[in-house]
Amino acid sequence: MITALNLGPWEACGNLIRTKREADGSGGFLVAEVPANTGHTTEKALVMAAAPEMLALLRNLIDIEGPQPGNSEWGDKARAVIAQATEEQA
């Protein structure tokens, strides 16, 4: 389950996604690579690098808002995206 992993912070470096480098030189470990011949590699890497923060934001928004009668469509969509990303039940 994704929640058990230590995700992020990540950064994009060209077509590579890596753990953020710290001032002391630690970090910078490869997380993923976007194949260079797929087009828009830097843009894809930037989105992938932001994924841990986006997942955390979605979870926080759902926690803050809670059940909202009449406005549950966005919450259902957010829960479905979280489930897709984490293999959890929506």
Side-chain angles (χ1 to χ4, degrees):
M1 178 181 288
I2 296 281
T3 56
L5 297 177
N6 181 12
L7 293 179
W10 296 344
E11 63 184 359
C13 183
N15 67 322
L16 304 177
I17 299 93
R18 64 185 186 192
T19 59
K20 279 198 174 180
R21 290 194 179 208
E22 301 296 330
D24 65 3
S26 64
F29 299 104
L30 183 65
V31 173
E33 179 178 359
V34 178
N37 61 350
T38 61
H40 304 286
T41 56
T42 300
E43 292 86 352
K44 291 175 185 176
L46 288 168
V47 171
M48 291 173 68
E53 286 86 359
M54 289 190 284
L55 178 58
L57 176 63
L58 276 178
R59 285 187 167 140
N60 287 337
L61 287 173
I62 288 175
D63 287 345
I64 291 168
E65 290 298 318
Q68 296 288 319
N71 292 326
S72 65
E73 186 177 336
W74 79 265
D76 292 342
K77 288 179 181 179
R79 280 188 275 286
V81 169
I82 292 169
Q84 181 181 3
T86 63
E87 297 182 336
E88 296 173 1
Q89 291 287 6

